[in-house]
Structures are given as C-alpha cells and as structure tokens.
Amino acid sequence: MSRRAGQNPSVRTRFNRTKGVEEYFFQYWVDVPGQEGRQRETEVIGPVRTMTKSEAERKKLEFILNLKVNSNEYKIPSSVTFAHAVKHYREIFAPRMLRQSTFSVADGHLKVHLEADWNEIPVEHIDIDAVNEWIWKKRQTKLSWVTIKNILRTMQRVLSCCSNDKKPPFSQEGLAIPERDKLQMKIESRGAVSFSWSQAKQIAGAVYKLDVDDVLKERYATLFTLASATGLRCAELFALRINDLDFKAGTIRVDESADQRTYIIGPCKNVAAYRTVLLADAEGREALLMLKRFLKGLQTQTSFVFHSKRGTALRETSVLHSVLHPVLRTLGFPQAGMHAFRHGCNRRWELSGMNPAVLRQQMGHSSAVMTARYTGEIPLDKVQEAFSKMELENMDVIGKRPRRASSRLVVYNQQARGMSGRRTMAV
C-alpha cells in the first residue's frame, strides 16, 4: 500500500457470536515497520440495529481520513523503530561516547519509562505532537516536569545517535508545558536547600553526638565541614586522595570523580570540573586545619581521604542514610543531600563579593548561568546584613567628606612662593 494508491474498503456485516449481535465492519491494510509487506486490520463500526449502512459508510470514511493513509501527510513507516535506535545506543554509541555514570542514568530512563511505550514506534513517527501526548500520560502518573524533561533528554540522545544528521526529531522548546507549571518550576529551583557555614558547623557538631565509633565521627564531621568550605561535588569529595592536598599552598586539586552508581573512580563531570580550589578565606583555613588533624599519621599518598573500612571510596547512599539524614532530623533542618553544602558555599562566596569568573572556576561550573542558579533565594537575614553593610559604607563616606563652611568663606591670598600671605575674611 502507498499513499498514492490509497484504499477505500467496503462496509460489510457479520454476526458476532460472542455478543450475539450483527455488526458492521470493514478491513484495511497498514504497513508493517521493518518489513516490506503489510498486514490487514479489522475495524468494527457498530451494531446493525443502531445505524443504517449509509451511516456506517460515513463512519468508515471518517476513520480512514483520520488514519491519513490516503493523504500526502501519510508517512510509510521507516524500517528503523525506537527499539533499533536503543539497541544501537546501548551496543555502540554509549560504550564509546559516554561516561559510565551518564549511561547508567540513561539506561534507567529507558527501562522504566521509554521502552514500554516507544519500542514499536517507527522513528519517523516520533515528533513533537507524539511526545506531547506522551508527556501528559506521564503527568497523570505524578511524574514531575523536571523528571519528564530529563527522560526526554535521554530520548533525544538515543534518537540522535542513529540519525543521519545526528539531531533529535523534536526540541524541548515545543513541549506543551503550561505557563503556570513553568513558573512553579523556576520558583522551586530557587528554593533548593542550601546549608550555610554556620549550619554546616552545627551539623558537624551533631555528628560527634551520634552513637558510632570515634573514628567515624571524626571522618564525617570533617567531610561535612570540607564540603561546606570547598563547594566540591559529592563525587569529587569521595575521590579525593591525600596527594591532591597541598596544605602549604592551601589548595585542593580536583582531577577525579567517583561514580555513585558503579562506584568506579573515573573522569570528572566536564572540562570545567578539572580545577584547583584555593581555600584562602577564614572558612577554608578552618576546614584545612580540621582536615590536617584528621589525616595525622596517614602516609599513603594515593589512598582516599575519606574511605570505607575496606579502603574503598565512600558511597553517598551510605553517608546519607547512616549519618547526614539522622543528624538533620535531630537539628530540625530540612532533609537534603550533600549538594546542599555546595549550594551554601556558592552563596557564601558570591555574597562576599568574589569575582564572578573566579567563583565560576572555584565551583567548576561550565557557565555563569549555572553559577547564578546555585545562589537561589537569599534568606532574609542575609538581605538585612547586606543593607547594614550599605549603611555602614555610606556613613564612612559621609564621615570622610570635607565639611563646608555655612556662614563664612575663608580666602587665602598667597604670595608667590610664600606661605605667609594676607588672610582676609569674606562674608
């Protein structure tokens, strides 16, 4: 069948033994993805007793028009389906081009959300209209827009890797997301949990009150303090080795990252993540002193700074469930992950007036937009503090301004090369 030849099946009647009624039906041909042949489909119009044959003919024509098999808009299915694209992505593209952690997250999206709904769909039929219909089904299952957009990024990458132009067939700019939901997403992103330096010290202090071994108390208290002072990502902290530390220069080198799914030490997240973090402020110096005490006696330069009993890198899930979350509940702080320390460090450095380019490099961000997002909504006490500084600066400026005489103007007539001139008063 082709869209040039078209089809106009005849309406026939048959007796449905299951329902015990006579009904109108017709049969039509559809192309089979991945095959040169075609298959016959049957469409039941309705019982004979409820409509005439002319009415059944009109319903048949409406169905055929909606199917668009006779129009120029009809696309003969490609031999490549979404399942073929996924196979190419898993076996060829991902092992060569992606980090293990990136592929691990994407594989979860494919197995849980995408393959069941899209595997049999021809790639040519996946457009923005089909995607918009799918995302609303996902919304009914209570998935957030952020999660849906992350899943669609995986879908775009899978479709791009097997296309000729290496571009996805749809753009996320065309997603049918209501304006109120877009606004809500922006508001929620501003409200991400952020631990300040003082809160981080409270968390570290509460760790010492836990009913665990003293070595573990010292390890996790140092970990949380260093996370707040440096702004390092969780994966970067867990991959730190002793030879990455330079206490004399007050720096920490970041050149590795711990994959939190496979627990393999590998490359950093991006190019900007490779950096040397300088700890020259009071918070940084305090964290370095604490770290130096914690590492006292350790000689192996290549061993991890924070490691498990077996000497391997720590696992984030273990740190959260066994230490951080219990401490947060005790202090009455909102539940959050290790990233909240990074957000707090970014905000502290930005409010202190750090140069934006230096701040972006310290944080390991690839763009200034990402750095700005980390600031979030500034707490009211910080806003009040900023206004107080402004008032103090204005008072200092006014205090240094020369006072002007209000009633008299003193005029000095100095003779050439002399300082003992005649002094006159002018009213």
Side-chain angles (χ1 to χ4, degrees):
M1 179 190 69
S2 71
R3 60 177 175 270
R4 292 182 298 277
Q7 56 182 315
N8 185 23
S10 59
V11 174
R12 293 179 287 170
T13 60
R14 69 179 181 184
F15 184 77
N16 190 322
R17 295 180 180 274
T18 304
K19 297 180 181 180
V21 296
E22 192 174 11
E23 58 188 12
Y24 290 113
F25 77 99
F26 66 92
Q27 293 179 312
Y28 62 98
W29 295 97
V30 293
D31 295 291
V32 181
Q35 301 180 18
E36 294 185 2
R38 54 183 182 169
Q39 66 185 20
R40 176 175 285 181
E41 297 288 343
T42 301
E43 181 69 19
V44 177
I45 302 174
V48 173
R49 67 172 183 267
T50 61
M51 66 183 73
T52 64
K53 190 171 183 179
S54 298
E55 290 174 337
E57 286 281 357
R58 285 195 296 271
K59 287 193 174 184
K60 177 208 70 176
L61 289 176
E62 289 177 5
F63 180 87
I64 293 295
L65 288 174
N66 291 332
L67 199 62
K68 296 181 179 179
V69 292
N70 293 339
S71 69
N72 290 329
E73 297 178 9
Y74 176 73
K75 295 180 180 179
I76 299 176
S78 169
S79 60
V80 178
T81 62
F82 186 74
H84 292 105
V86 171
K87 183 179 180 182
H88 175 79
Y89 173 81
R90 281 200 177 110
E91 296 178 358
I92 299 174
F93 180 82
R96 294 178 182 176
M97 308 300 292
L98 300 181
R99 296 168 64 231
Q100 181 62 34
S101 59
T102 304
F103 172 63
S104 179
V105 173
D107 201 46
H109 290 163
L110 289 169
K111 290 178 179 177
V112 178
H113 299 287
L114 293 171
E115 289 185 289
D117 296 333
W118 294 97
N119 259 1
E120 304 303 322
I121 305 299
V123 170
E124 292 181 2
H125 288 186
I126 301 176
D127 53 18
I128 191 61
D129 293 330
V131 169
N132 277 329
E133 184 178 349
W134 178 79
I135 64 175
W136 279 104
K137 292 179 181 177
K138 286 296 178 182
R139 280 292 288 170
Q140 293 174 359
T141 63
K142 306 301 182 181
L143 275 185
S144 68
W145 283 116
V146 174
T147 303
I148 290 174
K149 292 179 75 173
N150 289 336
I151 295 169
L152 289 179
R153 288 190 185 96
T154 297
M155 187 178 187
Q156 287 178 310
R157 178 170 283 172
V158 170
L159 294 173
S160 299
C161 74
C162 68
S163 66
N164 294 329
D165 56 1
K166 303 303 178 185
K167 294 180 180 179
F170 65 90
S171 169
Q172 291 209 17
E173 294 180 359
L175 296 181
I177 303 177
E179 292 299 323
R180 65 178 183 277
D181 289 353
K182 291 181 181 179
L183 177 62
Q184 188 62 35
M185 281 192 289
K186 293 178 181 178
I187 293 173
E188 290 174 357
S189 67
R190 292 181 63 198
V193 179
S194 175
F195 293 141
S196 65
W197 174 250
S198 61
Q199 289 175 320
K201 292 185 69 175
Q202 285 181 265
I203 293 171
V207 170
Y208 288 107
K209 300 177 182 179
L210 292 175
D211 186 19
V212 295
D213 186 75
D214 290 343
V215 176
L216 295 179
K217 292 178 182 179
E218 194 68 31
R219 176 187 300 159
Y220 291 120
T222 305
L223 172 66
F224 299 147
T225 303
L226 190 65
S228 181
T230 61
L232 295 184
R233 297 177 178 90
C234 171
E236 295 166 350
L237 276 169
F238 294 164
L240 275 184
R241 302 179 189 272
I242 296 178
N243 59 8
D244 292 325
L245 310 175
D246 188 338
F247 290 105
K248 185 177 293 186
T251 60
I252 294 178
R253 180 182 62 207
V254 181
D255 59 3
E256 287 182 315
S257 179
D259 190 322
Q260 290 305 295
R261 287 178 176 267
T262 62
Y263 311 111
I264 297 174
I265 304 299
C268 293
K269 182 178 181 180
N270 51 43
V271 174
Y274 291 89
R275 65 199 188 278
T276 298
V277 179
L278 175 64
L279 299 178
D281 55 0
E283 294 83 358
R285 290 191 293 269
E286 183 178 341
L288 284 175
L289 286 174
M290 188 175 183
L291 183 61
K292 196 171 186 178
R293 290 194 301 269
F294 170 68
L295 294 175
K296 188 176 181 180
L298 293 178
Q299 301 295 329
T300 307
Q301 293 294 303
T302 56
S303 62
F304 295 115
V305 174
F306 305 104
H307 57 79
S308 64
K309 293 181 180 179
R310 295 176 295 176
T312 58
L314 292 178
R315 299 186 178 186
E316 184 181 14
T317 53
S318 177
V319 174
L320 297 182
H321 296 318
S322 62
V323 183
L324 183 57
H325 287 172
V327 167
L328 294 179
R329 286 193 293 269
T330 302
L331 295 172
F333 289 173
Q335 183 166 305
M338 293 293 295
H339 220 64
F341 295 105
R342 179 169 165 82
H343 279 267
C345 181
N346 182 94
R347 178 183 291 171
R348 186 181 76 250
W349 279 339
E350 185 170 12
L351 293 179
S352 68
M354 183 179 286
N355 182 283
V358 175
L359 174 59
R360 186 168 67 250
Q361 180 173 302
Q362 286 275 103
M363 295 298 296
H365 286 151
S366 56
S367 69
V369 175
M370 181 59 69
T371 306
R373 286 177 183 170
Y374 267 54
T375 305
E377 185 177 359
I378 301 173
L380 186 58
D381 60 333
K382 295 296 182 182
V383 176
Q384 292 171 341
E385 184 179 330
F387 273 99
S388 299
K389 289 181 179 179
M390 286 175 55
E391 290 181 0
L392 290 174
E393 291 172 359
N394 290 336
M395 289 175 64
D396 291 342
V397 171
I398 293 173
K400 295 177 181 178
R401 186 180 300 165
R403 298 179 65 183
R404 298 175 60 184
S406 58
S407 59
R408 296 172 180 267
L409 174 64
V410 181
V411 179
Y412 293 94
N413 291 327
Q414 300 177 355
Q415 295 182 359
R417 299 177 182 272
M419 297 301 292
S420 59
R422 184 178 58 192
R423 181 177 179 180
T424 61
M425 305 295 291
V427 178

